[in-house]
Structures are given as structure tokens and as C-alpha cells.
Amino acid sequence: MNISLERRYADRVEEFAARRPFLVDLATVLGLMGCAALGGSLTLPSADPPDQDMTATVLTGVACLVLLKHRTHPRTAVVVAGGCTVAAVALGYLVTPLLLAPVMAALYWLAALTDRKSTRGYGLATLVAVTLAAVFSDSMHHISLLLRTIGPIFWLMLPLAAGKMTQLRRAYLQSVQARAEHAERTREEEARLRVTEERMRIARELHDVVAHHMALANAQAGTAAHLALTNPEQTQKILTDLTGTTSSALRELKAALGLLRQNDHHDADLGPTALEPAPGLTRLPELVAACESAGLEVTVTTEGEPQPLSPGVDLTAFRIVQEALTNVTKHATAEAARVRLAYTGSRLLITVTDDGTGKPAAEAPQGSRGFGVIGMRERAHSIGGHLCAGPRPQGGFEVTTALPLQPSPLPAEGTTP
């Protein structure tokens, strides 16, 4: 409790000193004047006091008044205060801590406000000058040479050490504050980065959900309109599939928005079937059927022994295949596409090819460029994989990706995954 009260009063004093520095300096100078005046009146029992009372008063007054400029001119304050103190000692005044009070204060502020070189130079010069004046002073001849030497050195070294400790403490507090500000900025930057990453993830998810189903729905509607008069039965089947496509789009969109809306307060209110599980490669048959209803024949082949995938890799693999087939449906004049899944060691290789003549959105002119291939590449990179997409030499377009069976850290910048 006492420590808390002392800390509170100390904080108030520091706050007042920061707001009214001149008043604090003036009060300090007046106190030092009183100390110097009292020190000038002290003499040894066997010694006579000096006769130059007016001279001593002027010297101590100048030594104290110059301290009002210690904040802006600490070196000048030490030189003037030290010179006045040496003159007073040479006139025969007894060297006491009270008489040395002005020069001690000047040395303290010198050590607290200047660099190490200035402290050593001005401090050592002042210490030597005052010590020599004390050694040869008539008022000190009753004291041994050892005491005349040790006394001034001890009293003048104290403010130098205290000032240097104050400077080190101030530097330490500034470094702590700088580290705290840096940590705060780092936290803010990390928070902004996480927000940006989350926005990108949400954008990719909504793009995959909306773009795929809308592209299929558009293709199915176009096919149904083309066959409406010539093949009513096929038209009816396509319209039924169109209903399923739009319903699936609504379900996935609702699930995605539900994930965005949920929080800790609403988790307990959600039932076990409130949100659908994330899609994976087990839903490839549904994706193939939806593409076939839009007029695109899809062939899926699997090589190697299928291995279990982590949820993140499973979702990424499905979304890449889904987006690749969506691009074929929207941008390529192809009637067939091939999906190849190859399990090799610890990686899953996915290849989606077509033999059409169109270009995907990422290869379209600048004004109509989409985000399909960009999103696929970001998805692959986010789990430690990589993706390549481009036209094939023999015609058509190919998307190839290699994904780890388990998510791995992002590769270092400048390396090839």
C-alpha cells in the first residue's frame, strides 16, 4: 500500500515537472542558494571566517542562477558553477557538501543530459579544479592532505554517478516503450493480415460456390432451350437437373454464410445439421453428373491406392477440380473433359484436361480476366502444394496440381515447392 502511494505521488511530481519545468527549476535554484549560503557560513573551530561576505554571496548566487539554463546548456552550467565554487574555496571558504551543492547539481544534470564523452571531460576537469582548490586553500590547512583530497572527490563523484544512472534508466524506459509500441504495431499489422487472408478465403469460397453452380445452371438452361422443341423428354430431364443445381447452390451458399455468421454465442443454438460438412472428393460423382447435364462429358480416372486426405486437402482438391471443370464449361468449346487423380507417395497429383479451343478466364483479355485460375493457385499454395495451368500444345487446356496428403507449411519465398 505504501509503495503504491509513493508511486502515485512520484507520478504526480513527474507530471507537474513536465508541465511546469521553469517553476521546478526555480524552486531547485532557491533551495541550492540556501544550501550554499549556509555552507559559506561554516568554518572550522580553530579557523577564522573569511572577510569577503559580499564576494561569496555573488559567487554562490551566480553559481545557482546559471543552473536555470541547465536543460539547454548543461556544459556551460558546469563551467560557470565550477568556476564560482573554485573561486569561493580559494577565498578561504570551507569545502562542505553545502558549499558544493550548486556544482554538484550541475554535474548531475551534465551526466543525465549529455553523452559519455562530455561527462568525462567536463566532470573530470571540474573535479580536479575543485580538489586542487581544496588542497591549497588556507581554510583546509588544519585537515590532513588525504581528507582534503578524498572529500571533494567523493562528493563530486556522487552526482556524476547518480546522473549517469538516471540517464541509463531513462534510456531503458524509452526502449521499453519503443518495444511496446513496436509490439502494438506488430499486433495491428498481424490482425490486418489475418483479416485480409480471411477476406481472400471467403472470396475464394463464395466464388467457387456461386461461379460453379451459376455456370452449370447457365449451360443447362441453354441446352434445355436448344432442345425444347426437338427433344421434350431430354429437356424435362435437364430442367430437373437445373432445379437440383440451383438447390445445391443455395445450400452451399447458405452453409458458407452460416459459417460467417456463427460465433461463440450462437454455436450452442446450432443444431447438429445446421451446417453441411465441407465437400470433398467423395462428391465427385455429383459434380460429374451436374457437368454431364450441362452437355460436358467428364471422365474420372484414379491411379495408385487412394489414401485418406485431411479435411483441408480434401476440400482443396475438390474445389480445384470443380473450378477447372467450371472453366471448361464457361470458356472452352469442348464436349469432353478428363480428370486424373494419381496417388504417388505423400502427394496427390490432379490433372484436368480438355480438347476445346477456348481459353480460360485467366488467359482472356485484360478487361475480362477472372479469378478462377488465381483462386486455384492460391488454394494449392495455402496447403503447401503448387498448381500449373495453361494451353496444351496439342490443343485444349490443362490444369495440373500437386497437393500433399497432409497440409504442410508454405514453401520459402524464392523456392520451388
Side-chain angles (χ1 to χ4, degrees), residues 32-33 36-37 40 53 55-65 84-85 88 99 102:
L32 292 174
M33 282 184 176
D53 292 338
T55 304
T57 302
V58 172
L59 290 174
T60 55
V62 172
C64 293
L65 290 176
C84 292
T85 303
L99 185 68

Side-chain angles (χ1 to χ4, degrees), residues 3 26 160 205 208 309 316 335 342 361 364 408:
I3 296 177
L26 183 60
L160 289 174
E205 197 67 25
D208 292 343
L309 305 176
T316 299
E335 297 181 356
S408 60

Side-chain angles (χ1 to χ4, degrees), residues 66-277:
V66 75
L67 297 179
L68 291 174
K69 295 295 184 180
H70 76 272
R71 297 182 186 272
T72 56
H73 301 84
R75 299 171 184 84
T76 303
V78 168
V79 172
V80 175
C84 292
T85 303
V86 170
V89 173
L91 290 175
Y93 286 92
L94 182 64
V95 179
T96 63
L98 294 175
L99 185 68
L100 296 177
V103 71
M104 290 173 64
L107 289 174
Y108 169 80
W109 284 316
L110 175 74
L113 299 177
T114 63
D115 56 3
R116 189 182 301 271
K117 183 178 179 180
S118 297
T119 301
R120 288 178 177 177
Y122 286 86
L124 181 61
T126 304
L127 189 147
V128 170
V130 175
T131 302
L132 291 177
V135 169
F136 295 103
S137 175
D138 293 336
S139 63
M140 304 286 288
H141 68 277
H142 299 288
I143 304 175
S144 65
L145 180 63
L146 180 62
L147 293 179
R148 279 183 282 173
T149 304
I150 292 179
I153 292 177
F154 174 76
W155 290 112
L156 296 181
M157 286 295 293
L158 281 179
L160 289 174
K164 187 55 63 178
M165 291 298 296
T166 300
Q167 187 183 63
L168 293 176
R169 179 177 178 273
R170 186 182 298 117
Y172 170 75
L173 293 178
Q174 290 176 351
S175 66
V176 170
Q177 183 179 3
R179 287 197 298 269
E181 293 175 354
H182 175 71
E184 184 66 23
R185 289 194 301 269
T186 303
R187 283 194 295 269
E188 293 177 356
E189 292 174 359
E190 183 179 358
R192 286 195 295 268
L193 179 61
R194 289 182 178 180
V195 169
T196 301
E197 292 177 349
E198 186 65 14
R199 289 175 60 187
M200 294 297 295
R201 187 191 67 81
I202 294 171
R204 286 196 302 268
E205 197 67 25
L206 292 178
H207 174 273
D208 292 343
V209 171
V210 176
H212 167 69
H213 290 94
M214 292 302 100
L216 287 181
N218 181 70
Q220 289 169 338
T223 305
H226 179 70
L227 300 176
L229 298 178
T230 59
N231 195 337
E233 294 181 359
Q234 183 67 18
T235 300
Q236 183 64 32
K237 182 179 181 305
I238 293 175
L239 291 177
T240 302
D241 294 338
L242 177 60
T243 303
T245 300
T246 55
S247 299
S248 178
L250 290 174
R251 286 196 304 271
E252 291 199 28
L253 187 59
K254 181 180 179 181
L257 295 178
L259 288 174
L260 298 179
R261 289 175 178 272
Q262 70 175 354
N263 51 46
D264 295 339
H265 299 289
H266 296 93
D267 285 345
D269 299 333
L270 295 176
T273 59
L275 298 176
E276 292 186 352

Side-chain angles (χ1 to χ4, degrees), residues 33-62:
M33 282 184 176
C35 293
L38 180 60
S41 64
L42 298 177
T43 58
L44 292 175
S46 57
D48 296 330
D51 298 331
Q52 296 86 355
D53 292 338
M54 183 58 65
T55 304
T57 302
V58 172
L59 290 174
T60 55
V62 172

Side-chain angles (χ1 to χ4, degrees), residues 1-21:
M1 183 66 179
N2 293 334
I3 296 177
S4 177
L5 289 175
E6 291 176 2
R7 182 69 263 176
R8 184 183 306 174
Y9 288 128
D11 292 341
R12 290 180 179 178
V13 171
E14 292 179 359
E15 183 180 356
F16 178 79
R19 292 200 315 265
R20 299 288 189 272

Side-chain angles (χ1 to χ4, degrees), residues 316-329:
T316 299
F318 177 80
R319 290 303 190 195
I320 288 176
V321 174
Q322 182 186 58
E323 181 60 28
L325 293 178
T326 300
N327 286 341
V328 174
T329 304

